[in-house]
Amino acid sequence: MHDNTDVLIVGAGPTGLTLAVDLARRGVACRIVERAPGPAAGAKATGSKGKGLQPRTQEIFDDLGVIGPILAAATPYPPLRVRIGRVPIWQARMHRSAEATDAVPYPAVLMHPQWRTEAVLRERLAELGGRVEQGAALTGFEQDADGVTAGLGTGETVRARHLVAADGGRSTVRKALGIGFTGETREEQRMALGDVRAEGLDRDHIHVWVRPGKGMVALYPMAGTDTFQMLASLKPGVTPEQTLSQYQRILAERSMVRGVRLTELLWSSLYRVNVRLADRYRSGRVFLAGDAVHVHPPTGGQGLNTGVQDAYNLGWKLARVLAGAPERLLDTYEEERRPVAARVLGLSVDLLDKKSYKRDEDTYQLSLSYRGGSLARRGGDRVPDGPLPLADGTRARVFDLLRGPHFTLLSPDPAPRVPGGPEVRAYAPAEPYGGERHTLVRPDGYVGISTSSADELAAYLDMV
C-alpha cells in the first residue's frame, strides 16, 4: 500500500506527540508511527522517565489544550530529605515555592510522570482525529526533491512531504542520515532506575540515603500514582540485575533502614550520563527533534521539556510552508533551536558537575529567547501573560488572545492583508504594546516583530 501524507512523525514520546497535536489542530495531514507494540498505559510500560514539567512547558500545554488533565494529577516536587541511615543530614526543596503572577501563571516545576504526559497528549490527539500507529517501526526511507518515501515494519510504504524523527537518543533516522552526535558518554556516571511500589515510606518527601563507600539511593513519590521512582548510583563496572530482589538489596544496603520494603518493580532501566548535541537538525526534507538531536543529564530536568519546545517551534513552521510560505522558513528551526539546546546542555552539565540539586529561573525555560535570529525583528522574547486593557474599554488576558494556531497582532490597525499570508487575529490595545504601534506575536508565543511601520509588518508577514 502506498499512502500520502504531509508529515510523517517517527516516535510517539512527548516530542512526537506534541508535534502531532500541534499539526492536527492546524489541519495538517500527519501520521505518527511508533515501533512499540502498544501505548504506555502506566509505569509498567514506559516508566516515569522525564518527570518534571517546567513552567514554559506548562504554558505550551495550555495552548495545546492539555493543561487541565495535567494539573489535575501533577504536584509540586516535595522536599528532599537526605539521610545517612536514620540520621538526617540535609533537607531542602529543589525548587523555590512560587505563587502564580499575572505574567507567569504556571510558576512551579510540576512532577508528572512521562507515561501520564504521553497518555494525556494521545487523548488530545484522538480528540483532534489522530492516533498513534503502534507496532509500526520505520524500516528505511529515501528522500527526493518533492518528499520522503518511508517503509514501515507493517509492510506499508508511506509517501510524505516531510519526515520528522522524534525517535530518541539512539535515533535510527539520525544515524541513517550520517549526522554527527557530538559530545560525551560518562561511563563512570551510571544509575539504576526503576518505578517501584514500596511500604514503610511517607509520600511527603523525596527520600535520599547516602552510605559512604556504597553509594546513593533515592525514592521519589510519583504524582498521581501510588509508585515511587527509584534512582541508585552505580560504581564503574557494576551492572546489577534488574529484578525486585536486587533493587531491594540496593535499597537495604544503602539506606540501612529496616521497615522500608519494595513490593513491586514495575519498570526498570540502567542509565548512563550522555551529553550530546547533533551537528544538524535538518537534512533536506527530514527533521530531527527531541532526544534525537540532544540528550541531557537528568540534572535540571531539561530533556523532555526541550524536546517539547522543539516540536512547538517546528509545528507552525511546517504548517506555514505546507500552506505556501517560503521554504526558507524551515531553516529557522535549526537556527533557533540548536543554540537553545547548546545552552541548556551547558546548564545541565554545570549542575551535574557541581552535584547541585538547585533549580531556579535558569531551568524554567521562560527566559529563553530567539533574539538576534532572522525571525526576530526587534523581538524574539516570550510574551508574558497578564491583563491587557483594550481600546474598546474591555480587558483580556494575553494568553487567552494567543491561545490557538494563529498569529496575534496587537495594534490599533487591522491586520494587513498579505496574499497567502498566515491567519492573523488583531486586537487593539488601549496603549501601544511594547511601545510600538504594531507587535506581532508568533504562534509559539514569541514576539516576531515590534514596529511602527506598516510596511515592515507586511514584509514580515510575507516572510512567514
Side-chain angles (χ1 to χ4, degrees), residues 187-423:
E187 295 289 354
E188 77 285 2
Q189 290 178 302
R190 296 162 58 247
M191 284 185 290
L193 183 66
D195 278 12
V196 299
R197 286 196 171 95
E199 291 177 347
L201 277 182
D202 70 71
R203 300 185 63 83
D204 301 326
H205 299 86
I206 299 167
H207 301 273
V208 183
W209 290 274
V210 179
R211 184 176 179 185
K214 297 295 185 182
M216 177 277 296
V217 63
L219 288 167
Y220 288 68
M222 293 312 303
T225 76
D226 61 351
T227 65
F228 291 82
Q229 185 185 67
M230 177 172 160
L231 293 167
S233 58
L234 297 177
K235 291 183 178 179
V238 174
T239 303
E241 291 181 10
Q242 292 169 255
T243 61
L244 176 63
S245 61
Q246 182 62 38
Y247 275 51
Q248 173 62 43
R249 193 173 300 123
I250 291 170
L251 176 62
E253 179 182 72
R254 299 183 185 186
S255 71
M256 300 181 289
V257 174
R258 296 176 184 232
V260 177
R261 188 173 71 89
L262 304 184
T263 59
E264 191 174 358
L265 177 62
L266 295 137
W267 172 87
S268 64
S269 176
L270 299 180
Y271 173 85
R272 59 185 179 177
V273 169
N274 269 297
V275 185
R276 294 187 180 275
L277 179 62
D279 297 342
R280 290 181 289 141
Y281 275 42
R282 178 187 185 187
S283 176
R285 290 181 169 271
V286 181
F287 298 83
L288 304 174
D291 288 355
V293 274
H294 45 75
V295 291
H296 304 247
T299 41
Q302 299 295 289
L304 180 156
N305 295 277
T306 303
V308 165
Q309 291 218 50
D310 289 342
Y312 196 54
N313 183 285
L314 181 58
W316 71 268
K317 295 173 181 178
L318 280 171
R320 284 298 306 134
V321 169
L322 287 165
E327 188 79 23
R328 64 180 178 273
L329 180 62
L330 294 173
D331 293 333
T332 67
Y333 168 58
E334 177 177 320
E335 174 198 313
E336 292 187 335
R337 293 304 302 162
R338 193 171 184 277
V340 166
R343 285 198 301 273
V344 167
L345 279 170
L347 173 65
S348 299
V349 171
D350 188 48
L351 290 170
L352 178 71
D353 290 341
K354 291 176 179 174
K355 295 183 170 57
S356 172
Y357 287 104
K358 175 192 170 193
R359 307 288 186 269
D360 57 19
E361 285 77 5
D362 287 340
T363 63
Y364 294 169
Q365 301 205 350
L366 294 172
S367 59
L368 295 178
S369 172
Y370 301 131
R371 254 189 243 178
S374 56
L375 286 186
R377 305 291 173 87
R378 292 182 297 282
D381 291 342
R382 161 194 169 271
V383 174
D385 196 11
L388 181 68
L390 298 177
D392 63 5
T394 63
R395 289 164 75 86
R397 288 203 70 83
V398 172
F399 278 14
D400 289 341
L401 303 183
L402 302 186
R403 194 177 293 110
H406 54 275
F407 284 74
T408 305
L409 178 63
L410 302 177
S411 167
D413 304 334
R417 294 178 177 271
V418 176
E423 178 191 358

Side-chain angles (χ1 to χ4, degrees), residues 119-192:
V120 169
L121 287 166
R122 275 200 313 276
E123 288 166 12
R124 178 67 176 132
L125 181 60
E127 289 174 4
L128 294 165
R131 67 180 179 89
V132 176
E133 298 174 42
Q134 303 285 162
L138 181 77
T139 56
F141 65 93
E142 294 179 350
Q143 61 173 315
D144 53 48
D146 300 316
V148 181
T149 303
L152 302 180
T154 58
E156 185 181 359
T157 299
V158 180
R159 179 72 176 170
R161 297 272 299 277
H162 300 281
L163 185 150
V164 180
D167 54 344
R170 297 186 179 93
S171 172
T172 56
V173 175
R174 186 192 65 242
K175 291 173 182 175
L177 293 170
I179 292 176
F181 207 30
T182 305
E184 60 176 327
T185 298
R186 298 190 176 185
E187 295 289 354
E188 77 285 2
Q189 290 178 302
R190 296 162 58 247
M191 284 185 290

